[in-house]
Amino acid sequence: MAAPLMEKLSESLGSPEPAVRLILSVLVGYPCALLYRRFFFHQPPTVIHLYHAISGLSLAAFNFGTQLYHSALCVLVQFLMMRLMGRTITTVLASFMFQMTYLLSGYYYTATEEYDIKWTMPQCVLALKLIGLSFDYYDGGQEPSKLNEEQKKSALANVPSLLEVIGFSYFYGGFLVGPQFTLRSYQRLVKGELTDCPGQPPNSVIPAMKRFSLGLLCLVIYAIFSPHYPDSYYLTDEYDAQPFWYRCVFILLWAKVILYKYVSCWVIAEGVCILSGLGYNGLGQNGEYQWDACANMKVWTFETTPLFTGTIASFNINTNAWVARHVFKRLKFLGNKLLSQVTALAFLAIWHGTHSGYLLCFSMEFIIVNVERQAQALVRDSPLLTRLANSSLYPLIYLVQQFIHWLFMGYPLVPFCLFTYDKWLRVYSSIYFCGHIFFFTLYLGIPYLRKVLVPRKERSEKKED
């Protein structure tokens, strides 16, 4: 009965059935959170874990049918590794190897040349969650003096039960599309600690509805404009026949539109977390309660920043924070920040999938970010460029920055969305590898510009630093 109904609904909406099931499942998180607030907030932890487990598993079954066994198996294996191996580095390494191997195997056996919504989509979210759980479990057995503040906050003092791990893994606010959160945060939610009204459900309905409304707006924007900017257009003779400037502007506009697919899901899912209380983040500096503990997007920054680093910092925040906490910072023993950064980006590329496009995308992110930092340092150290940046011409400079910013944000997104070598190479060839040339020229040119635009004294001080 449900299958024909979903087929009719997807046909009427003009969207693939898996996409319709996904967005409905994210939206169902709101009534699930309301039920939790109304009937389960004051219940014992066992009942709450059971509610979260059943609701999350139901959503998994609705989307992926019997293939939910993949996630269930990984949760069970993770629990057994922690119980049998204890708080050891072996547990962390075994968890990392098993979860990533299982995920990559899933990518390998299910991969196509299109973006498909299948069991590997929530599996990549779950893999990070379970690997992070092993780190937090390990940290709970270390001396507090050896841990930084982040690690102390998420370290697990007690051994979690199987039901607790299942409830944490399948929590309806984060199982399908994220965000990432720690077991400690989930435990505080279950204990009723994540509220601005001690002993009562949080006053988070209005903040949740604000995120829901914003997410719905982003979804509408994507639904209206995405048919005009399909990925497939890149591979047509019509695109190849367009003038060079048109092909570049298409990349810019396509990038803006395509990212709303992710923005809408993340912001709507954040609203679910806020409604349940998981988004509670205490009092801010202005004395008002904050609900951004699960924020995966800073939408205003995302829309207004003229910087590549600004966009990266405002997009998929929790995943980036997870990688910073569990990959980048854990590699401190290497004694090389650049090597740690490269390793973290390589991990992100592999975590996304096995296609060459992911590796190229994050390789270009590394280059773009480092070139931008050099350019910012040049503007900061050059009196002439500093005056120009603070002059009345800045509105014009801002517009130029935004054009360059979104053109070359879209540039690495091409391989990310087209996946395979033959597709992204065709697009890059059609625009003469302009992004590669642009950033390679900047990389080589900025040191020479420093000699011309930065006073000798400033250059000498920088060398001493």
Side-chain angles (χ1 to χ4, degrees), residues 198-214:
Q200 298 297 325
N203 292 312
S204 58
V205 175
I206 292 177
M209 290 302 102
K210 287 181 179 179
R211 298 309 278 179
F212 170 76
S213 301
L214 180 58

Side-chain angles (χ1 to χ4, degrees), residues 49-124:
H49 294 321
L50 197 59
Y51 171 68
H52 290 156
I54 292 173
S55 56
L57 282 166
S58 300
L59 292 176
F62 174 68
N63 282 272
F64 311 110
T66 57
Q67 290 186 329
L68 70 83
Y69 79 84
H70 292 289
S71 59
L73 176 63
C74 288
V75 171
L76 178 60
V77 170
Q78 181 67 44
F79 174 77
L80 290 175
M81 284 192 292
M82 291 192 300
R83 277 301 178 94
L84 297 176
M85 297 181 183
R87 300 177 187 272
T88 63
I89 194 66
T90 304
T91 305
V92 175
L93 294 175
S95 171
F96 191 95
M97 292 301 296
F98 174 79
Q99 301 297 347
M100 287 303 296
T101 300
Y102 200 100
L103 177 64
L104 293 176
S105 299
Y107 285 150
Y108 179 80
Y109 286 109
T110 65
T112 66
E113 294 187 3
E114 303 295 332
Y115 183 82
D116 301 317
I117 295 175
K118 47 189 178 292
W119 67 267
T120 53
M121 186 195 70
Q123 190 70 28
C124 71

Side-chain angles (χ1 to χ4, degrees), residues 82 86-89 91-92 131-158 182 184 325-326 330:
M82 291 192 300
R87 300 177 187 272
T88 63
I89 194 66
T91 305
V92 175
I131 293 170
L133 175 60
S134 69
F135 274 112
D136 296 337
Y137 183 63
Y138 171 77
D139 288 340
Q142 305 305 302
E143 291 292 330
S145 59
K146 296 180 180 180
L147 305 177
N148 59 38
E149 290 305 314
E150 267 186 329
Q151 291 167 344
K152 290 177 183 177
K153 188 177 179 181
S154 58
L156 295 170
N158 301 312
T182 65
R184 279 292 299 121
R325 185 167 66 250
H326 294 306
R330 302 270 180 176

Side-chain angles (χ1 to χ4, degrees), residues 246-400:
Y246 182 94
R247 282 173 270 161
C248 291
V249 171
F250 182 87
I251 290 177
L252 183 153
L253 297 175
W254 166 82
K256 286 290 290 183
V257 171
I258 197 70
L259 289 178
Y260 278 115
K261 173 171 63 177
Y262 305 99
V263 174
S264 58
C265 286
W266 289 337
V267 175
I268 291 173
E270 181 194 342
V272 175
C273 294
I274 292 172
L275 189 58
S276 69
L278 193 61
Y280 177 71
N281 203 19
L283 283 170
Q285 293 181 347
N286 57 2
E288 295 182 359
Y289 289 106
Q290 300 181 107
W291 303 97
D292 58 355
C294 293
N296 225 8
M297 284 295 307
K298 294 179 180 176
V299 179
W300 179 252
T301 302
F302 175 77
E303 293 293 344
T304 59
T305 181
L307 302 174
F308 296 99
T309 48
T311 298
I312 293 167
S314 65
F315 188 82
N316 206 0
I317 297 169
N318 279 285
T319 299
N320 291 334
W322 188 99
V323 173
R325 185 167 66 250
H326 294 306
V327 180
F328 180 78
K329 292 180 181 178
R330 302 270 180 176
L331 294 175
K332 187 177 181 180
F333 68 90
L334 294 176
N336 189 314
K337 191 174 181 180
L338 193 63
L339 182 57
S340 297
Q341 184 183 2
V342 170
T343 305
L345 288 173
F347 171 80
L348 270 175
I350 295 169
W351 173 72
H352 275 89
T354 55
H355 291 299
S356 62
Y358 294 127
L359 187 60
L360 181 60
C361 173
F362 287 98
S363 299
M364 293 191 65
E365 178 185 323
F366 173 78
I367 295 168
I368 290 170
V369 165
N370 281 281
V371 169
E372 181 179 76
R373 285 172 179 164
Q374 291 180 32
Q376 286 179 292
L378 174 62
V379 173
R380 184 179 62 248
D381 297 339
S382 167
L384 174 63
L385 295 180
T386 300
R387 285 197 302 272
L388 188 62
N390 295 324
S391 71
S392 58
L393 291 174
Y394 181 71
L396 178 62
I397 295 171
Y398 176 80
L399 291 176
V400 174

Side-chain angles (χ1 to χ4, degrees), residues 189-256:
L189 172 72
V190 172
K191 291 177 181 178
E193 296 176 2
L194 297 182
T195 177
D196 56 338
C197 303
Q200 298 297 325
N203 292 312
S204 58
V205 175
I206 292 177
M209 290 302 102
K210 287 181 179 179
R211 298 309 278 179
F212 170 76
S213 301
L214 180 58
L216 199 61
L217 174 62
C218 294
L219 184 61
V220 170
I221 292 172
Y222 175 74
I224 292 172
F225 291 102
S226 61
H228 303 287
Y229 298 94
D231 302 351
S232 57
Y233 184 65
Y234 283 119
L235 307 176
T236 63
D237 294 335
E238 182 181 347
Y239 177 79
D240 292 337
Q242 298 291 352
F244 173 74
W245 68 265
Y246 182 94
R247 282 173 270 161
C248 291
V249 171
F250 182 87
I251 290 177
L252 183 153
L253 297 175
W254 166 82
K256 286 290 290 183

